Amino acid sequence: MKIVFTAKGENWDSPMDPRFGRMDMLVVYDEDSDKLEAIPNNETEMMEHGAGLQTAQKVLDLNPDIIITGNGAGQKALEILKRSNVKMYTGAGEMSLKEAYEAFKDGKLQAQF
Amino acid sequence: MKVLEEDKAEEKLTIGVLTTKMKLTIASGKGGTGKTTVSANLTSYLASMGKKVVLADLDVEEPNSALFIKSDLKNTKICNKMVPVWESENCTLCGECARVCNFNAIVALPSEILVFPELCHSCYACSELCPTNSLPMNPIKIGEIKEYEAENFSFVEGRLDLGQEMAVPLIAQTIEYTDENFKEHIKIFDAPPGTSCPVIEASRGSDFVLLITEATPFGLNDLKLAAQTMRVLKQNFGVIINRDGIGDENVQRYCQDENIPIVTKIKNDKEVAKLYSKGELIYPKISHFKNSLDEIVEFIGGIK
């Protein structure tokens, strides 16, 4: 299973970024290969509008099964994400990536859709 | 237009002669500094002096001048903007539309094209560059312009529909409506706050911009941003210090250092706030406020 975390850093000890559209970093964890990959998302800093849309498309290009985030995505980003099979889990905004992953496995995060 | 000059003999600032067609924008960096209070009162005051004057509320995201003006509705105009509409029939899903959009308004998914009209700037790039003509432009309603008749002046208001994000097209249409329908009037434009596109649209066609601020660190910070914006626009501008007496001397010092004229200082006065909160005009009841309006009128070249 492929999981995307909205993160402020690149590794398991990094804090989560509670924001979706303007997250600092997409961290992708592939459970099958046990590989962690970080993709910067800093181009959204300069976008006045539409950051959520661009990030949503970027996430979908990775073809993940799960997104773990804090506050959840905004209305427009959701419109895009819901057209794929990805599932989003929220409420991990204050955790580290490791804690967020464990909380998800323990079923402690809410499914946004 | 006129070159800014100081009339040394009378120690009065002036920008020349108030023409019947003058366009004056009242703006600010910081919100809540008194744009609407000054706009509504200045308009009414000029009208009371026998001038033909129209006030246009360009703060289309949350217009509020109407709260201070008793007036009757005369005309309503529906405002549209052009946005692309996706036609799937001939589309090859090549994604060129999404690539050429500078405003993130189009997302190309593997099986469909999504258009987000709220983000569209009506630039036509996607529509024109689509190889299969699958994105024809269609009008959608974004808001309304309303024209009102007050006792002795006219009032125009642009109001964006709920959920619409693009203020600039409606601001441009509100200015155009005012220009076309009030050719021989002095035009007072009540601008939105800030320093971004809406303020630029509300300021760039005007003869002069009055920036209202207060002498606080926040006021100064945002005044600097607004002043920089006006300089980029090569726009003539001056400053009104509102709620004078609070804060510190730094706004005044900044204006002196930068050679920005301080048109007037409006005293900090609880009675002004009381009248404002009741939606009443200030100058008929408070003389120091009226004196400040006189200084503005004198500055813009009106004859007392």
PDB file of all heavy atoms in Angstrom, chain B residues 1-2 15 18-26 54 175-176 178-180 182-183 185-189 201-210 235-236 300:
ATOM      1  N   MET B   1      -1.838  63.544 -14.228  1.00  0.00           N
ATOM      2  CA  MET B   1      -2.530  64.809 -14.331  1.00  0.00           C
ATOM      3  C   MET B   1      -1.690  65.914 -13.728  1.00  0.00           C
ATOM      4  O   MET B   1      -0.555  66.116 -14.105  1.00  0.00           O
ATOM      5  CB  MET B   1      -3.925  64.716 -13.749  1.00  0.00           C
ATOM      6  CG  MET B   1      -4.077  64.572 -12.247  1.00  0.00           C
ATOM      7  SD  MET B   1      -5.695  65.263 -11.869  1.00  0.00           S
ATOM      8  CE  MET B   1      -5.245  66.501 -10.696  1.00  0.00           C
ATOM      9  N   LYS B   2      -2.230  66.662 -12.799  1.00  0.00           N
ATOM     10  CA  LYS B   2      -1.503  67.840 -12.284  1.00  0.00           C
ATOM     11  C   LYS B   2      -0.266  67.434 -11.491  1.00  0.00           C
ATOM     12  O   LYS B   2      -0.241  66.387 -10.854  1.00  0.00           O
ATOM     13  CB  LYS B   2      -2.415  68.659 -11.365  1.00  0.00           C
ATOM     14  CG  LYS B   2      -3.562  69.274 -12.076  1.00  0.00           C
ATOM     15  CD  LYS B   2      -4.867  68.761 -11.489  1.00  0.00           C
ATOM     16  CE  LYS B   2      -5.982  68.930 -12.469  1.00  0.00           C
ATOM     17  NZ  LYS B   2      -7.024  67.947 -12.282  1.00  0.00           N
ATOM     18  N   ILE B  15      -3.374  70.099  -5.103  1.00  0.00           N
ATOM     19  CA  ILE B  15      -2.952  69.386  -6.306  1.00  0.00           C
ATOM     20  C   ILE B  15      -3.503  70.051  -7.547  1.00  0.00           C
ATOM     21  O   ILE B  15      -3.445  69.510  -8.626  1.00  0.00           O
ATOM     22  CB  ILE B  15      -3.387  67.901  -6.294  1.00  0.00           C
ATOM     23  CG1 ILE B  15      -4.878  67.765  -6.029  1.00  0.00           C
ATOM     24  CG2 ILE B  15      -2.580  67.114  -5.302  1.00  0.00           C
ATOM     25  CD1 ILE B  15      -5.401  66.367  -6.322  1.00  0.00           C
ATOM     26  N   LEU B  18     -10.014  71.522  -8.835  1.00  0.00           N
ATOM     27  CA  LEU B  18     -10.984  70.433  -8.869  1.00  0.00           C
ATOM     28  C   LEU B  18     -11.811  70.538 -10.143  1.00  0.00           C
ATOM     29  O   LEU B  18     -12.581  71.464 -10.316  1.00  0.00           O
ATOM     30  CB  LEU B  18     -11.902  70.518  -7.645  1.00  0.00           C
ATOM     31  CG  LEU B  18     -12.988  69.450  -7.512  1.00  0.00           C
ATOM     32  CD1 LEU B  18     -12.372  68.074  -7.339  1.00  0.00           C
ATOM     33  CD2 LEU B  18     -13.873  69.772  -6.325  1.00  0.00           C
ATOM     34  N   THR B  19     -11.592  69.606 -11.042  1.00  0.00           N
ATOM     35  CA  THR B  19     -12.376  69.627 -12.269  1.00  0.00           C
ATOM     36  C   THR B  19     -13.644  68.817 -12.073  1.00  0.00           C
ATOM     37  O   THR B  19     -13.736  68.020 -11.148  1.00  0.00           O
ATOM     38  CB  THR B  19     -11.596  69.017 -13.450  1.00  0.00           C
ATOM     39  OG1 THR B  19     -11.398  67.625 -13.179  1.00  0.00           O
ATOM     40  CG2 THR B  19     -10.266  69.701 -13.636  1.00  0.00           C
ATOM     41  N   THR B  20     -14.585  69.019 -12.976  1.00  0.00           N
ATOM     42  CA  THR B  20     -15.850  68.301 -12.810  1.00  0.00           C
ATOM     43  C   THR B  20     -15.676  66.817 -13.051  1.00  0.00           C
ATOM     44  O   THR B  20     -16.510  66.027 -12.665  1.00  0.00           O
ATOM     45  CB  THR B  20     -16.897  68.839 -13.815  1.00  0.00           C
ATOM     46  OG1 THR B  20     -16.317  68.828 -15.111  1.00  0.00           O
ATOM     47  CG2 THR B  20     -17.361  70.216 -13.444  1.00  0.00           C
ATOM     48  N   LYS B  21     -14.593  66.461 -13.731  1.00  0.00           N
ATOM     49  CA  LYS B  21     -14.434  65.051 -14.076  1.00  0.00           C
ATOM     50  C   LYS B  21     -13.411  64.336 -13.199  1.00  0.00           C
ATOM     51  O   LYS B  21     -12.997  63.232 -13.511  1.00  0.00           O
ATOM     52  CB  LYS B  21     -14.006  64.937 -15.545  1.00  0.00           C
ATOM     53  CG  LYS B  21     -15.074  65.398 -16.503  1.00  0.00           C
ATOM     54  CD  LYS B  21     -14.535  65.390 -17.909  1.00  0.00           C
ATOM     55  CE  LYS B  21     -15.595  65.945 -18.853  1.00  0.00           C
ATOM     56  NZ  LYS B  21     -15.083  66.082 -20.205  1.00  0.00           N
ATOM     57  N   MET B  22     -12.997  64.979 -12.131  1.00  0.00           N
ATOM     58  CA  MET B  22     -11.925  64.397 -11.330  1.00  0.00           C
ATOM     59  C   MET B  22     -12.304  63.036 -10.752  1.00  0.00           C
ATOM     60  O   MET B  22     -13.421  62.810 -10.321  1.00  0.00           O
ATOM     61  CB  MET B  22     -11.575  65.333 -10.186  1.00  0.00           C
ATOM     62  CG  MET B  22     -10.424  64.822  -9.334  1.00  0.00           C
ATOM     63  SD  MET B  22     -10.132  65.912  -7.946  1.00  0.00           S
ATOM     64  CE  MET B  22      -8.397  66.218  -8.159  1.00  0.00           C
ATOM     65  N   LYS B  23     -11.318  62.126 -10.771  1.00  0.00           N
ATOM     66  CA  LYS B  23     -11.510  60.818 -10.159  1.00  0.00           C
ATOM     67  C   LYS B  23     -10.569  60.701  -8.970  1.00  0.00           C
ATOM     68  O   LYS B  23      -9.360  60.848  -9.113  1.00  0.00           O
ATOM     69  CB  LYS B  23     -11.166  59.715 -11.150  1.00  0.00           C
ATOM     70  CG  LYS B  23     -12.171  59.554 -12.255  1.00  0.00           C
ATOM     71  CD  LYS B  23     -11.945  58.200 -12.905  1.00  0.00           C
ATOM     72  CE  LYS B  23     -11.970  58.301 -14.406  1.00  0.00           C
ATOM     73  NZ  LYS B  23     -11.716  57.006 -15.032  1.00  0.00           N
ATOM     74  N   LEU B  24     -11.165  60.422  -7.830  1.00  0.00           N
ATOM     75  CA  LEU B  24     -10.404  60.371  -6.589  1.00  0.00           C
ATOM     76  C   LEU B  24     -10.635  59.004  -5.949  1.00  0.00           C
ATOM     77  O   LEU B  24     -11.784  58.604  -5.735  1.00  0.00           O
ATOM     78  CB  LEU B  24     -10.930  61.482  -5.679  1.00  0.00           C
ATOM     79  CG  LEU B  24     -10.178  61.840  -4.427  1.00  0.00           C
ATOM     80  CD1 LEU B  24      -8.820  62.431  -4.770  1.00  0.00           C
ATOM     81  CD2 LEU B  24     -10.994  62.852  -3.630  1.00  0.00           C
ATOM     82  N   THR B  25      -9.561  58.291  -5.669  1.00  0.00           N
ATOM     83  CA  THR B  25      -9.719  56.995  -4.990  1.00  0.00           C
ATOM     84  C   THR B  25      -9.305  57.127  -3.530  1.00  0.00           C
ATOM     85  O   THR B  25      -8.265  57.706  -3.226  1.00  0.00           O
ATOM     86  CB  THR B  25      -8.848  55.913  -5.674  1.00  0.00           C
ATOM     87  OG1 THR B  25      -9.335  55.698  -6.997  1.00  0.00           O
ATOM     88  CG2 THR B  25      -8.923  54.592  -4.912  1.00  0.00           C
ATOM     89  N   ILE B  26     -10.166  56.627  -2.657  1.00  0.00           N
ATOM     90  CA  ILE B  26      -9.850  56.611  -1.228  1.00  0.00           C
ATOM     91  C   ILE B  26      -9.428  55.184  -0.899  1.00  0.00           C
ATOM     92  O   ILE B  26     -10.253  54.265  -0.963  1.00  0.00           O
ATOM     93  CB  ILE B  26     -11.080  56.994  -0.363  1.00  0.00           C
ATOM     94  CG1 ILE B  26     -11.845  58.173  -0.963  1.00  0.00           C
ATOM     95  CG2 ILE B  26     -10.679  57.204   1.081  1.00  0.00           C
ATOM     96  CD1 ILE B  26     -11.447  59.525  -0.563  1.00  0.00           C
ATOM     97  N   VAL B  54     -20.491  61.657  -7.628  1.00  0.00           N
ATOM     98  CA  VAL B  54     -20.966  60.278  -7.504  1.00  0.00           C
ATOM     99  C   VAL B  54     -19.953  59.500  -6.659  1.00  0.00           C
ATOM    100  O   VAL B  54     -18.744  59.685  -6.779  1.00  0.00           O
ATOM    101  CB  VAL B  54     -21.161  59.608  -8.890  1.00  0.00           C
ATOM    102  CG1 VAL B  54     -19.893  59.636  -9.726  1.00  0.00           C
ATOM    103  CG2 VAL B  54     -21.640  58.170  -8.745  1.00  0.00           C
ATOM    104  N   ILE B 175     -16.260  50.527 -12.216  1.00  0.00           N
ATOM    105  CA  ILE B 175     -15.625  51.793 -12.633  1.00  0.00           C
ATOM    106  C   ILE B 175     -16.151  52.207 -14.007  1.00  0.00           C
ATOM    107  O   ILE B 175     -16.505  53.365 -14.233  1.00  0.00           O
ATOM    108  CB  ILE B 175     -14.087  51.646 -12.656  1.00  0.00           C
ATOM    109  CG1 ILE B 175     -13.543  51.441 -11.233  1.00  0.00           C
ATOM    110  CG2 ILE B 175     -13.438  52.887 -13.292  1.00  0.00           C
ATOM    111  CD1 ILE B 175     -12.070  51.091 -11.171  1.00  0.00           C
ATOM    112  N   GLU B 176     -16.219  51.230 -14.913  1.00  0.00           N
ATOM    113  CA  GLU B 176     -16.691  51.513 -16.271  1.00  0.00           C
ATOM    114  C   GLU B 176     -18.127  52.055 -16.247  1.00  0.00           C
ATOM    115  O   GLU B 176     -18.440  53.039 -16.926  1.00  0.00           O
ATOM    116  CB  GLU B 176     -16.647  50.205 -17.065  1.00  0.00           C
ATOM    117  CG  GLU B 176     -16.651  50.376 -18.564  1.00  0.00           C
ATOM    118  CD  GLU B 176     -16.685  49.011 -19.257  1.00  0.00           C
ATOM    119  OE1 GLU B 176     -15.833  48.152 -18.939  1.00  0.00           O
ATOM    120  OE2 GLU B 176     -17.584  48.796 -20.082  1.00  0.00           O
ATOM    121  N   THR B 178     -19.602  53.586 -13.797  1.00  0.00           N
ATOM    122  CA  THR B 178     -19.588  54.928 -13.207  1.00  0.00           C
ATOM    123  C   THR B 178     -19.079  55.951 -14.226  1.00  0.00           C
ATOM    124  O   THR B 178     -19.652  57.033 -14.374  1.00  0.00           O
ATOM    125  CB  THR B 178     -18.686  54.937 -11.950  1.00  0.00           C
ATOM    126  OG1 THR B 178     -19.074  53.851 -11.104  1.00  0.00           O
ATOM    127  CG2 THR B 178     -18.828  56.235 -11.171  1.00  0.00           C
ATOM    128  N   ASP B 179     -18.002  55.596 -14.929  1.00  0.00           N
ATOM    129  CA  ASP B 179     -17.449  56.505 -15.941  1.00  0.00           C
ATOM    130  C   ASP B 179     -18.472  56.811 -17.035  1.00  0.00           C
ATOM    131  O   ASP B 179     -18.636  57.958 -17.445  1.00  0.00           O
ATOM    132  CB  ASP B 179     -16.204  55.884 -16.595  1.00  0.00           C
ATOM    133  CG  ASP B 179     -14.988  55.960 -15.682  1.00  0.00           C
ATOM    134  OD1 ASP B 179     -15.056  56.693 -14.675  1.00  0.00           O
ATOM    135  OD2 ASP B 179     -13.987  55.287 -15.972  1.00  0.00           O
ATOM    136  N   GLU B 180     -19.171  55.766 -17.496  1.00  0.00           N
ATOM    137  CA  GLU B 180     -20.103  55.943 -18.613  1.00  0.00           C
ATOM    138  C   GLU B 180     -21.348  56.727 -18.227  1.00  0.00           C
ATOM    139  O   GLU B 180     -21.853  57.526 -19.005  1.00  0.00           O
ATOM    140  CB  GLU B 180     -20.540  54.567 -19.152  1.00  0.00           C
ATOM    141  CG  GLU B 180     -19.554  54.022 -20.166  1.00  0.00           C
ATOM    142  CD  GLU B 180     -19.907  52.619 -20.596  1.00  0.00           C
ATOM    143  OE1 GLU B 180     -21.055  52.170 -20.338  1.00  0.00           O
ATOM    144  OE2 GLU B 180     -19.026  51.951 -21.172  1.00  0.00           O
ATOM    145  N   PHE B 182     -21.730  58.735 -15.498  1.00  0.00           N
ATOM    146  CA  PHE B 182     -21.533  59.990 -14.756  1.00  0.00           C
ATOM    147  C   PHE B 182     -20.339  60.746 -15.319  1.00  0.00           C
ATOM    148  O   PHE B 182     -19.385  61.063 -14.616  1.00  0.00           O
ATOM    149  CB  PHE B 182     -21.352  59.692 -13.261  1.00  0.00           C
ATOM    150  CG  PHE B 182     -22.549  59.035 -12.653  1.00  0.00           C
ATOM    151  CD1 PHE B 182     -22.611  57.646 -12.553  1.00  0.00           C
ATOM    152  CD2 PHE B 182     -23.632  59.785 -12.224  1.00  0.00           C
ATOM    153  CE1 PHE B 182     -23.731  57.025 -12.028  1.00  0.00           C
ATOM    154  CE2 PHE B 182     -24.760  59.174 -11.695  1.00  0.00           C
ATOM    155  CZ  PHE B 182     -24.810  57.787 -11.596  1.00  0.00           C
ATOM    156  N   LYS B 183     -20.443  61.034 -16.601  1.00  0.00           N
ATOM    157  CA  LYS B 183     -19.311  61.651 -17.308  1.00  0.00           C
ATOM    158  C   LYS B 183     -18.917  63.001 -16.720  1.00  0.00           C
ATOM    159  O   LYS B 183     -17.745  63.342 -16.686  1.00  0.00           O
ATOM    160  CB  LYS B 183     -19.657  61.818 -18.806  1.00  0.00           C
ATOM    161  CG  LYS B 183     -19.706  60.494 -19.555  1.00  0.00           C
ATOM    162  CD  LYS B 183     -19.577  60.718 -21.060  1.00  0.00           C
ATOM    163  CE  LYS B 183     -19.419  59.427 -21.819  1.00  0.00           C
ATOM    164  NZ  LYS B 183     -20.683  58.672 -21.999  1.00  0.00           N
ATOM    165  N   HIS B 185     -19.467  64.137 -13.639  1.00  0.00           N
ATOM    166  CA  HIS B 185     -19.458  64.163 -12.171  1.00  0.00           C
ATOM    167  C   HIS B 185     -18.034  64.006 -11.622  1.00  0.00           C
ATOM    168  O   HIS B 185     -17.193  63.351 -12.230  1.00  0.00           O
ATOM    169  CB  HIS B 185     -20.295  63.010 -11.612  1.00  0.00           C
ATOM    170  CG  HIS B 185     -21.778  63.209 -11.735  1.00  0.00           C
ATOM    171  ND1 HIS B 185     -22.400  63.404 -12.939  1.00  0.00           N
ATOM    172  CD2 HIS B 185     -22.751  63.217 -10.793  1.00  0.00           C
ATOM    173  CE1 HIS B 185     -23.707  63.538 -12.735  1.00  0.00           C
ATOM    174  NE2 HIS B 185     -23.941  63.424 -11.435  1.00  0.00           N
ATOM    175  N   ILE B 186     -17.825  64.564 -10.444  1.00  0.00           N
ATOM    176  CA  ILE B 186     -16.638  64.198  -9.669  1.00  0.00           C
ATOM    177  C   ILE B 186     -16.875  62.777  -9.186  1.00  0.00           C
ATOM    178  O   ILE B 186     -17.961  62.458  -8.701  1.00  0.00           O
ATOM    179  CB  ILE B 186     -16.481  65.123  -8.436  1.00  0.00           C
ATOM    180  CG1 ILE B 186     -16.325  66.572  -8.869  1.00  0.00           C
ATOM    181  CG2 ILE B 186     -15.308  64.682  -7.569  1.00  0.00           C
ATOM    182  CD1 ILE B 186     -16.545  67.555  -7.723  1.00  0.00           C
ATOM    183  N   LYS B 187     -15.880  61.924  -9.333  1.00  0.00           N
ATOM    184  CA  LYS B 187     -16.069  60.522  -8.956  1.00  0.00           C
ATOM    185  C   LYS B 187     -15.196  60.174  -7.748  1.00  0.00           C
ATOM    186  O   LYS B 187     -13.981  60.350  -7.779  1.00  0.00           O
ATOM    187  CB  LYS B 187     -15.734  59.613 -10.137  1.00  0.00           C
ATOM    188  CG  LYS B 187     -16.715  59.787 -11.298  1.00  0.00           C
ATOM    189  CD  LYS B 187     -16.276  59.063 -12.527  1.00  0.00           C
ATOM    190  CE  LYS B 187     -16.033  59.921 -13.747  1.00  0.00           C
ATOM    191  NZ  LYS B 187     -16.751  61.118 -13.982  1.00  0.00           N
ATOM    192  N   ILE B 188     -15.849  59.720  -6.705  1.00  0.00           N
ATOM    193  CA  ILE B 188     -15.125  59.284  -5.506  1.00  0.00           C
ATOM    194  C   ILE B 188     -15.203  57.756  -5.456  1.00  0.00           C
ATOM    195  O   ILE B 188     -16.302  57.195  -5.406  1.00  0.00           O
ATOM    196  CB  ILE B 188     -15.776  59.850  -4.216  1.00  0.00           C
ATOM    197  CG1 ILE B 188     -16.011  61.361  -4.323  1.00  0.00           C
ATOM    198  CG2 ILE B 188     -14.956  59.466  -2.974  1.00  0.00           C
ATOM    199  CD1 ILE B 188     -14.908  62.239  -3.919  1.00  0.00           C
ATOM    200  N   PHE B 189     -14.057  57.104  -5.489  1.00  0.00           N
ATOM    201  CA  PHE B 189     -14.029  55.645  -5.444  1.00  0.00           C
ATOM    202  C   PHE B 189     -13.591  55.161  -4.062  1.00  0.00           C
ATOM    203  O   PHE B 189     -12.489  55.470  -3.616  1.00  0.00           O
ATOM    204  CB  PHE B 189     -13.067  55.092  -6.505  1.00  0.00           C
ATOM    205  CG  PHE B 189     -13.501  55.349  -7.918  1.00  0.00           C
ATOM    206  CD1 PHE B 189     -12.644  55.929  -8.831  1.00  0.00           C
ATOM    207  CD2 PHE B 189     -14.786  54.998  -8.336  1.00  0.00           C
ATOM    208  CE1 PHE B 189     -13.045  56.158 -10.138  1.00  0.00           C
ATOM    209  CE2 PHE B 189     -15.192  55.231  -9.645  1.00  0.00           C
ATOM    210  CZ  PHE B 189     -14.319  55.809 -10.549  1.00  0.00           C
ATOM    211  N   GLU B 201      -6.570  47.881  -9.220  1.00  0.00           N
ATOM    212  CA  GLU B 201      -7.637  48.145 -10.183  1.00  0.00           C
ATOM    213  C   GLU B 201      -8.423  49.392  -9.788  1.00  0.00           C
ATOM    214  O   GLU B 201      -8.797  50.200 -10.641  1.00  0.00           O
ATOM    215  CB  GLU B 201      -8.575  46.927 -10.264  1.00  0.00           C
ATOM    216  CG  GLU B 201      -9.602  46.991 -11.380  1.00  0.00           C
ATOM    217  CD  GLU B 201      -8.964  47.021 -12.767  1.00  0.00           C
ATOM    218  OE1 GLU B 201      -7.928  46.367 -12.957  1.00  0.00           O
ATOM    219  OE2 GLU B 201      -9.509  47.716 -13.645  1.00  0.00           O
ATOM    220  N   ALA B 202      -8.658  49.545  -8.476  1.00  0.00           N
ATOM    221  CA  ALA B 202      -9.459  50.677  -7.989  1.00  0.00           C
ATOM    222  C   ALA B 202      -8.691  51.990  -8.036  1.00  0.00           C
ATOM    223  O   ALA B 202      -9.278  53.064  -7.939  1.00  0.00           O
ATOM    224  CB  ALA B 202      -9.939  50.395  -6.560  1.00  0.00           C
ATOM    225  N   SER B 203      -7.366  51.929  -8.173  1.00  0.00           N
ATOM    226  CA  SER B 203      -6.539  53.141  -8.076  1.00  0.00           C
ATOM    227  C   SER B 203      -5.969  53.616  -9.400  1.00  0.00           C
ATOM    228  O   SER B 203      -5.755  54.809  -9.597  1.00  0.00           O
ATOM    229  CB  SER B 203      -5.344  52.881  -7.136  1.00  0.00           C
ATOM    230  OG  SER B 203      -5.782  52.479  -5.869  1.00  0.00           O
ATOM    231  N   ARG B 204      -5.722  52.679 -10.322  1.00  0.00           N
ATOM    232  CA  ARG B 204      -4.830  53.049 -11.423  1.00  0.00           C
ATOM    233  C   ARG B 204      -5.403  54.040 -12.421  1.00  0.00           C
ATOM    234  O   ARG B 204      -4.644  54.735 -13.077  1.00  0.00           O
ATOM    235  CB  ARG B 204      -4.333  51.807 -12.152  1.00  0.00           C
ATOM    236  CG  ARG B 204      -5.412  51.000 -12.833  1.00  0.00           C
ATOM    237  CD  ARG B 204      -4.767  49.824 -13.540  1.00  0.00           C
ATOM    238  NE  ARG B 204      -5.747  48.973 -14.158  1.00  0.00           N
ATOM    239  CZ  ARG B 204      -5.447  47.861 -14.791  1.00  0.00           C
ATOM    240  NH1 ARG B 204      -4.202  47.472 -14.867  1.00  0.00           N
ATOM    241  NH2 ARG B 204      -6.384  47.145 -15.337  1.00  0.00           N
ATOM    242  N   GLY B 205      -6.731  54.134 -12.522  1.00  0.00           N
ATOM    243  CA  GLY B 205      -7.291  55.096 -13.464  1.00  0.00           C
ATOM    244  C   GLY B 205      -7.603  56.439 -12.838  1.00  0.00           C
ATOM    245  O   GLY B 205      -8.127  57.326 -13.493  1.00  0.00           O
ATOM    246  N   SER B 206      -7.297  56.600 -11.560  1.00  0.00           N
ATOM    247  CA  SER B 206      -7.704  57.815 -10.852  1.00  0.00           C
ATOM    248  C   SER B 206      -6.691  58.942 -11.015  1.00  0.00           C
ATOM    249  O   SER B 206      -5.525  58.713 -11.297  1.00  0.00           O
ATOM    250  CB  SER B 206      -7.897  57.515  -9.365  1.00  0.00           C
ATOM    251  OG  SER B 206      -9.152  56.921  -9.163  1.00  0.00           O
ATOM    252  N   ASP B 207      -7.183  60.164 -10.801  1.00  0.00           N
ATOM    253  CA  ASP B 207      -6.292  61.313 -10.863  1.00  0.00           C
ATOM    254  C   ASP B 207      -5.456  61.417  -9.594  1.00  0.00           C
ATOM    255  O   ASP B 207      -4.329  61.895  -9.629  1.00  0.00           O
ATOM    256  CB  ASP B 207      -7.116  62.594 -11.031  1.00  0.00           C
ATOM    257  CG  ASP B 207      -7.879  62.577 -12.342  1.00  0.00           C
ATOM    258  OD1 ASP B 207      -7.244  62.339 -13.378  1.00  0.00           O
ATOM    259  OD2 ASP B 207      -9.105  62.774 -12.324  1.00  0.00           O
ATOM    260  N   PHE B 208      -6.037  60.987  -8.486  1.00  0.00           N
ATOM    261  CA  PHE B 208      -5.316  61.085  -7.221  1.00  0.00           C
ATOM    262  C   PHE B 208      -5.826  60.021  -6.260  1.00  0.00           C
ATOM    263  O   PHE B 208      -6.999  59.671  -6.282  1.00  0.00           O
ATOM    264  CB  PHE B 208      -5.513  62.482  -6.603  1.00  0.00           C
ATOM    265  CG  PHE B 208      -4.474  62.817  -5.586  1.00  0.00           C
ATOM    266  CD1 PHE B 208      -3.233  63.306  -5.973  1.00  0.00           C
ATOM    267  CD2 PHE B 208      -4.716  62.612  -4.234  1.00  0.00           C
ATOM    268  CE1 PHE B 208      -2.266  63.598  -5.031  1.00  0.00           C
ATOM    269  CE2 PHE B 208      -3.747  62.898  -3.288  1.00  0.00           C
ATOM    270  CZ  PHE B 208      -2.515  63.396  -3.692  1.00  0.00           C
ATOM    271  N   VAL B 209      -4.923  59.514  -5.432  1.00  0.00           N
ATOM    272  CA  VAL B 209      -5.313  58.518  -4.422  1.00  0.00           C
ATOM    273  C   VAL B 209      -5.025  59.084  -3.037  1.00  0.00           C
ATOM    274  O   VAL B 209      -3.939  59.594  -2.777  1.00  0.00           O
ATOM    275  CB  VAL B 209      -4.542  57.192  -4.613  1.00  0.00           C
ATOM    276  CG1 VAL B 209      -4.873  56.212  -3.490  1.00  0.00           C
ATOM    277  CG2 VAL B 209      -4.872  56.566  -5.968  1.00  0.00           C
ATOM    278  N   LEU B 210      -6.031  59.028  -2.179  1.00  0.00           N
ATOM    279  CA  LEU B 210      -5.841  59.395  -0.783  1.00  0.00           C
ATOM    280  C   LEU B 210      -5.697  58.113   0.019  1.00  0.00           C
ATOM    281  O   LEU B 210      -6.601  57.269   0.020  1.00  0.00           O
ATOM    282  CB  LEU B 210      -7.053  60.193  -0.266  1.00  0.00           C
ATOM    283  CG  LEU B 210      -7.220  61.600  -0.818  1.00  0.00           C
ATOM    284  CD1 LEU B 210      -8.593  62.148  -0.442  1.00  0.00           C
ATOM    285  CD2 LEU B 210      -6.128  62.519  -0.284  1.00  0.00           C
ATOM    286  N   GLN B 235       1.376  56.565  -9.450  1.00  0.00           N
ATOM    287  CA  GLN B 235       0.124  57.206  -9.097  1.00  0.00           C
ATOM    288  C   GLN B 235       0.395  58.334  -8.087  1.00  0.00           C
ATOM    289  O   GLN B 235       1.099  58.129  -7.100  1.00  0.00           O
ATOM    290  CB  GLN B 235      -0.797  56.131  -8.485  1.00  0.00           C
ATOM    291  CG  GLN B 235      -2.132  56.610  -7.978  1.00  0.00           C
ATOM    292  CD  GLN B 235      -2.958  57.270  -9.047  1.00  0.00           C
ATOM    293  OE1 GLN B 235      -2.942  58.485  -9.178  1.00  0.00           O
ATOM    294  NE2 GLN B 235      -3.676  56.477  -9.819  1.00  0.00           N
ATOM    295  N   ASN B 236      -0.158  59.515  -8.356  1.00  0.00           N
ATOM    296  CA  ASN B 236      -0.081  60.605  -7.379  1.00  0.00           C
ATOM    297  C   ASN B 236      -0.904  60.237  -6.155  1.00  0.00           C
ATOM    298  O   ASN B 236      -2.042  59.796  -6.279  1.00  0.00           O
ATOM    299  CB  ASN B 236      -0.641  61.898  -7.962  1.00  0.00           C
ATOM    300  CG  ASN B 236       0.334  62.542  -8.931  1.00  0.00           C
ATOM    301  OD1 ASN B 236       1.544  62.411  -8.781  1.00  0.00           O
ATOM    302  ND2 ASN B 236      -0.207  63.226  -9.924  1.00  0.00           N
ATOM    303  N   ILE B 300      -7.733  68.997  -2.915  1.00  0.00           N
ATOM    304  CA  ILE B 300      -8.064  68.522  -4.269  1.00  0.00           C
ATOM    305  C   ILE B 300      -8.510  69.670  -5.173  1.00  0.00           C
ATOM    306  O   ILE B 300      -8.893  69.453  -6.321  1.00  0.00           O
ATOM    307  CB  ILE B 300      -9.125  67.386  -4.265  1.00  0.00           C
ATOM    308  CG1 ILE B 300     -10.427  67.852  -3.612  1.00  0.00           C
ATOM    309  CG2 ILE B 300      -8.592  66.145  -3.587  1.00  0.00           C
ATOM    310  CD1 ILE B 300     -11.542  66.814  -3.681  1.00  0.00           C
TER     311      ILE B 300
END
